[in-house]
């Protein structure tokens, strides 16, 4: 079964850091680009970051640029999101998703991990 | 900054047809933006419905269809059912490594 499972969410103070992980299984992880998408409580979806299959190409939404770092370890079938200088507005459910490069869409969603930034 | 626009809410009667749209604050949505559509029920992750404007994802019933209507992408549900009551999001690729979601449409079936 194709799946991605996020972990690492939790409660963190403003200005703090957190590292999210995503474990992929059921598909050849190294053959797919990956993204992080988040959803603030009661709000819509927001694309956060993209990483190509090899890790050579990376993009960020303006809202997280300079604070978040996406990375991957294809040998471990894992995706990561290092989040620094966290703000209250980063509070959200963070979804690890598989991207399909040919048509620029998302075809696999994780269940998400919750990040709460609060003092 | 480009904003992707969707109707905040819509309602449809059971068995009816509804079309949700996805536009841009500046310009038109065309197939070049590879619009895709996602369905989300409360407490659940989104589910992929449509990609590349009009291609249904695996397992999606054919009552869901995608198209370009005028200057917007559109999601049409034909023969709406009670369990179609969900939030629907479109996403477009603006190029240069930028993906943007619309604000979502809350669909009520009543």
């Amino acid at each position: 079964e194709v799946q991605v499972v996020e972990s690492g969410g939790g409660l963190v103070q403003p200005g703090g850091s957190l590292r999210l992980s995503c474990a992929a299984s059921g598909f050849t992880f190294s053959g797919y680009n990956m993204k992080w998408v988040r959803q603030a409580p009661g709000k819509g979806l927001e694309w956060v970051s993209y990483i190509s299959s090899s890790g050579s190409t990376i993009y960020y939404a303006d809202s997280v640029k300079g604070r978040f770092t996406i990375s991957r370890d294809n040998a471990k079938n894992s995706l990561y999101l290092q989040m620094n200088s966290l703000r209250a507005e980063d509070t959200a459910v963070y979804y690890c998703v598989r991207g399909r490069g040919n048509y620029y869409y998302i075809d696999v969603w994780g269940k998400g991990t919750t990040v709460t930034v609060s003092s | 900054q480009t904003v992707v626009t969707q109707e905040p809410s819509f309602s449809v009667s059971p068995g009816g047809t509804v079309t949700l749209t996805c536009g841009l604050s500046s310009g038109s949505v065309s197939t070049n933006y590879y619009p895709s559509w996602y369905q989300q029920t409360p407490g659940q992750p989104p589910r992929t419905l449509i990609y590349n404007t009009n291609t249904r994802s695996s397992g999606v019933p054919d009552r869901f269809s995608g198209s370009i209507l005028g200057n917007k992408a559109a999601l049409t549900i034909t023969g709406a059912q009670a369990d179609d009551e969900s939030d629907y999001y479109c996403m477009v690729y603006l190029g240069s490594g930028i993906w943007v979601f619309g604000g979502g449409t809350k669909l009520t079936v009543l």
Side-chain angles (χ1 to χ4, degrees):
Chain A
E1 179 191 3
V2 172
Q3 64 176 354
V4 292
V5 179
E6 306 89 339
S7 61
L11 174 64
V12 61
Q13 292 188 338
S17 299
L18 209 57
R19 189 194 195 208
L20 305 184
S21 299
C22 169
S25 60
F27 64 99
T28 304
F29 181 69
S30 61
Y32 291 86
N33 65 63
M34 300 294 292
K35 298 181 182 64
W36 289 97
V37 171
R38 69 183 180 183
Q39 186 170 34
K43 302 298 184 181
L45 301 170
E46 179 187 15
W47 167 72
V48 173
S49 185
Y50 160 98
I51 186 167
S52 62
S53 56
S54 66
S56 61
T57 301
I58 286 173
Y59 300 115
Y60 298 100
D62 286 345
S63 57
V64 305
K65 201 173 294 183
R67 301 187 299 121
F68 289 11
T69 301
I70 191 171
S71 62
R72 65 190 295 160
D73 185 336
N74 285 343
K76 295 183 177 180
N77 293 334
S78 293
L79 176 73
Y80 307 100
L81 187 67
Q82 177 67 42
M83 304 185 295
N84 298 332
S85 303
L86 282 162
R87 307 165 180 167
E89 54 264 37
D90 296 317
T91 294
V93 175
Y94 284 74
Y95 295 103
C96 167
V97 301
R98 189 176 80 172
R100 299 306 295 267
N102 46 352
Y103 298 121
Y104 302 98
Y105 71 105
I106 296 164
D107 70 338
V108 176
W109 296 76
K111 295 188 185 303
T113 187
T114 300
V115 172
T116 303
V117 184
S118 175
S119 55
Chain B
Q1 184 173 350
T2 301
V3 175
V4 177
T5 60
Q6 294 185 248
E7 299 87 358
S9 62
F10 230 116
S11 64
V12 62
S13 300
T17 297
V18 63
T19 297
L20 312 181
T21 66
C22 173
L24 292 177
S25 57
S26 57
S28 302
V29 176
S30 70
T31 56
N32 294 331
Y33 288 95
Y34 301 93
S36 51
W37 291 89
Y38 306 88
Q39 177 191 47
Q40 187 181 35
T41 53
Q44 296 297 315
R47 167 198 181 197
T48 303
L49 293 177
I50 300 285
Y51 64 92
N52 192 30
T53 305
N54 56 14
T55 303
R56 273 185 299 276
S57 191
S58 176
V60 173
D62 60 7
R63 66 176 185 276
F64 292 91
S65 62
S67 64
I68 298 291
L69 289 181
N71 62 350
K72 296 182 179 183
L75 173 70
T76 299
I77 307 172
T78 304
Q81 300 181 1
D83 60 4
D84 294 335
E85 187 162 293
S86 303
D87 294 326
Y88 291 86
Y89 295 92
C90 68
M91 183 181 77
V92 298
Y93 179 62
L94 298 183
S96 302
I98 300 174
W99 286 263
V100 182
F101 285 96
T105 297
K106 184 177 184 63
L107 180 67
T108 301
V109 180
L110 52 74

